[in-house]
Amino acid sequence: MSTDPGRGRTADPRPLTGEPLPLDLVNTVWIDEGVRHDLLERPDGLAVWLRSAGFADSVPADRESLDALLATRRAVVALLDGSADPQQAADELNEILGHGRIRRRLGEAGPLSVVETDSPAWLAAWSAAEAYLRLLDEHPDRIRKCANPECVLHFYDVSKNGKRRWCSMAGCGNRAKASRHYARHRQPRPANADG
């Protein structure tokens, strides 16, 4: 992993970041030139993800946090791609959701929603699971897998017309365009009938 210049921190190597929390967690696994990468298998990967997701100060980068995030990632992936029994995947997500809750309170400035989890190690994992439910409430049809069959990344389509197909136009979108262009221009020309 490369380091972030001037900060001494490991930079986030993933090709797609900034998606809603559950998809950002799912996207800790990606394919680059046919090679599978998993940010959470790298020595400093958990700390990198916690920092990029905004949990560096509230969630310890320890084994309990990693196990909780891996369980959440497995459950969300299973729900997204149908790779497991849907009821079993839902049960796994519900078990994760059982590790926390949102407590409503009245604060000095008005109503507050406070997330409480069994331990700080569950905060990021529980938050990702809860955010997945919110995405399902809002627009489940906008949760998409990249249209590139070689890509495993997911995104939440916030485009105005809801027609986004690629994890990124710069990556998979351009590859698809180039492939179509190559295929069009590679087709043999008809033989000249005159000789």
Side-chain angles (χ1 to χ4, degrees):
M1 279 193 205
S2 62
T3 55
D4 203 356
R7 295 190 183 150
R9 295 186 212 167
T10 303
D12 193 333
R14 297 176 298 148
L16 181 63
T17 58
E19 289 298 320
L21 192 59
L23 302 181
D24 195 67
L25 178 59
V26 166
N27 291 340
T28 56
V29 172
W30 70 97
I31 307 288
D32 184 24
E33 296 186 19
V35 177
R36 181 186 181 275
H37 299 272
D38 185 341
L39 180 66
L40 299 180
E41 287 180 353
R42 297 176 182 211
D44 197 24
L46 175 59
V48 169
W49 188 82
L50 290 171
R51 187 174 57 251
S52 74
F55 290 101
D57 295 332
S58 54
V59 176
D62 63 11
R63 187 74 224 183
E64 184 182 3
S65 299
L66 179 61
D67 288 345
L69 284 168
L70 291 173
T72 303
R73 184 175 75 180
R74 275 190 308 274
V76 173
V77 166
L79 291 164
L80 288 172
D81 68 13
S83 62
D85 170 48
Q87 187 57 54
Q88 180 183 348
D91 289 347
E92 289 171 9
L93 192 73
N94 287 332
E95 183 178 325
I96 292 158
L97 290 164
H99 287 277
R101 68 183 179 132
I102 298 174
R103 186 168 55 98
R104 299 284 289 158
R105 303 182 37 183
L106 182 59
E108 289 180 21
L112 297 171
S113 294
V114 179
V115 174
E116 296 177 343
T117 56
D118 294 348
S119 74
W122 276 97
L123 180 61
W126 183 90
S127 296
E130 195 277 332
Y132 180 68
L133 295 184
R134 279 189 278 121
L135 292 179
L136 291 176
D137 272 344
E138 293 169 7
H139 289 288
D141 56 317
R142 295 229 173 182
I143 302 170
R144 307 226 175 98
K145 181 186 176 298
C146 180
N148 176 355
E150 304 300 317
C151 185
V152 297
L153 298 175
H154 288 77
F155 60 89
Y156 188 69
D157 184 359
V158 294
S159 68
K160 188 174 182 177
N161 65 5
K163 302 289 185 194
R164 180 176 166 192
R165 297 182 56 212
W166 314 107
C167 61
S168 79
M169 276 309 295
C172 289
N174 278 341
R175 278 188 214 91
K177 279 189 204 176
S179 179
R180 284 192 308 267
H181 175 79
Y182 179 74
R184 272 194 315 268
H185 290 87
R186 187 170 176 239
Q187 294 176 357
R189 291 187 173 156
N192 189 343
D194 295 332

